[in-house]
Amino acid sequence: MFSHSKLPVLIVLLTLHGQGQTGKIIGGREAVPHSRPYMAFIEHMKNNETFYCNGCLLNENFVLTAAHCQGSNYKVFLGVHDTSILDNNKKVQYLTVEKAIPHPNYTPHANDLMLLKLTPKPVLNRNVKTIALASHDNGTLPKSCIVSGWGQTYPFGPISSKLMEINVTLTDDKKCAEHNLYCSKGNVRPSTGDSGGPLVCEDGSTYGVVSFLYNDPNDSPLTAYTKIPHYLSWINKMMKKTLSKN
């Protein structure tokens, strides 16, 4: 069974109640400004508190993130590198969310995906671009993967506003495969505040969504990413269905 931990050094942007925390990638490096133009910085309210997640821009209508990032009064920022200068920054686009669409079978350990329908539509430019979804799963693990986010840079450390990134190597783990997850192992990993961000591999497509940390007392912790190829039909169906109602 997969399990979450209360420790704030974890990936999940989650407490045991599903609430978010802020933070940075542990052991990562600062990304070249605007080199990840698909990244979305997401702010939302839950129980009168402000929480943050990441996401990726799929098209001019939708951002993909994690279902455990559910809340209310979402704000989505595109074209961001430094979150401390969101206001009066001509490079940053601020959008609201017309509809949040979490996977109907979401649990803290499965189906951790959510679509956010944007309004108004963003303007695509050099700093704001879409990213493709990985469409195939031939049973082999993708290689040369990168995770980006505004998460903790070290355990219990202060929040840094710059976009961080890290290379991760996926591991062949039976538990992960059975739960439609990709997983990576190691002390250098995504952390609190990186939830919902994309796992980008090989051809520049997003293969996964940062979900949670699996703690194994007998081994190194595993970072879990919801496997996008498994959910591609659901993602496309929900985008089409939502747009057809507008």
Side-chain angles (χ1 to χ4, degrees):
M1 173 62 69
F2 289 101
S3 63
H4 293 289
S5 167
K6 295 181 182 179
L7 293 177
V9 299
L10 298 187
I11 185 175
V12 291
L13 238 174
L14 220 98
T15 66
L16 293 179
H17 301 290
Q19 298 176 348
Q21 307 292 329
T22 57
K24 280 203 171 287
I25 284 176
I26 291 178
R29 59 189 179 273
E30 182 179 347
V32 174
H34 308 295
S35 61
R36 307 286 170 196
Y38 48 79
M39 289 296 298
F41 180 65
I42 302 167
E43 175 185 313
H44 68 85
M45 297 293 295
K46 188 165 187 176
N47 299 326
N48 295 317
E49 294 185 64
T50 301
F51 300 105
Y52 301 96
C53 277
N54 304 313
C56 61
L57 183 65
L58 301 186
N59 51 52
E60 62 182 4
N61 292 294
F62 293 97
V63 159
L64 181 67
T65 186
H68 74 253
C69 295
Q70 293 178 66
S72 60
N73 300 318
Y74 299 92
K75 295 180 180 179
V76 176
F77 299 90
L78 302 174
V80 179
H81 178 68
D82 187 341
T83 62
S84 69
I85 51 174
L86 292 177
D87 296 333
N88 301 316
N89 187 336
K90 294 182 179 180
K91 293 182 179 179
V92 173
Q93 298 183 41
Y94 159 63
L95 305 102
T96 58
V97 173
E98 182 178 306
K99 185 176 183 180
I101 312 164
H103 195 283
N105 298 322
Y106 162 69
T107 73
H109 309 113
N111 308 307
D112 193 10
L113 287 177
M114 179 168 63
L115 287 164
L116 300 177
K117 171 66 169 62
L118 303 174
T119 183
K121 294 180 180 180
V123 177
L124 301 184
N125 55 38
R126 187 173 69 176
N127 296 330
V128 177
K129 296 182 180 180
T130 62
I131 189 169
L133 295 171
S135 60
H136 65 282
D137 181 11
N138 61 8
T140 63
L141 294 177
K143 296 178 172 54
S144 303
C145 299
I146 288 179
V147 177
S148 305
W150 291 271
Q152 286 176 330
T153 53
Y154 56 91
F156 305 103
I159 295 169
S160 173
S161 62
K162 305 290 179 62
L163 179 65
M164 304 292 284
E165 65 183 21
I166 195 168
N167 294 85
V168 297
T169 300
L170 301 184
T171 184
D172 189 6
D173 185 271
K174 184 177 180 180
K175 297 183 296 293
C176 295
E178 290 175 347
H179 289 80
N180 300 312
L181 301 166
Y182 291 122
C183 287
S184 63
K185 183 183 294 187
N187 293 325
V188 178
R189 63 183 185 271
S191 183
T192 304
D194 295 316
S195 281
L199 174 75
V200 179
C201 306
E202 295 178 343
D203 57 359
S205 300
T206 178
Y207 280 73
V209 169
V210 175
S211 185
F212 64 93
L213 192 75
Y214 169 51
N215 282 306
D216 187 340
N218 301 314
D219 202 353
S220 300
L222 291 172
T223 301
Y225 313 87
T226 304
K227 185 187 293 186
I228 284 176
H230 180 79
Y231 296 92
L232 189 62
S233 61
W234 176 82
I235 294 170
N236 289 329
K237 177 182 178 181
M238 294 312 299
M239 289 194 296
K240 182 176 180 181
K241 181 179 179 180
T242 303
L243 292 176
S244 69
K245 292 182 177 181
N246 289 347

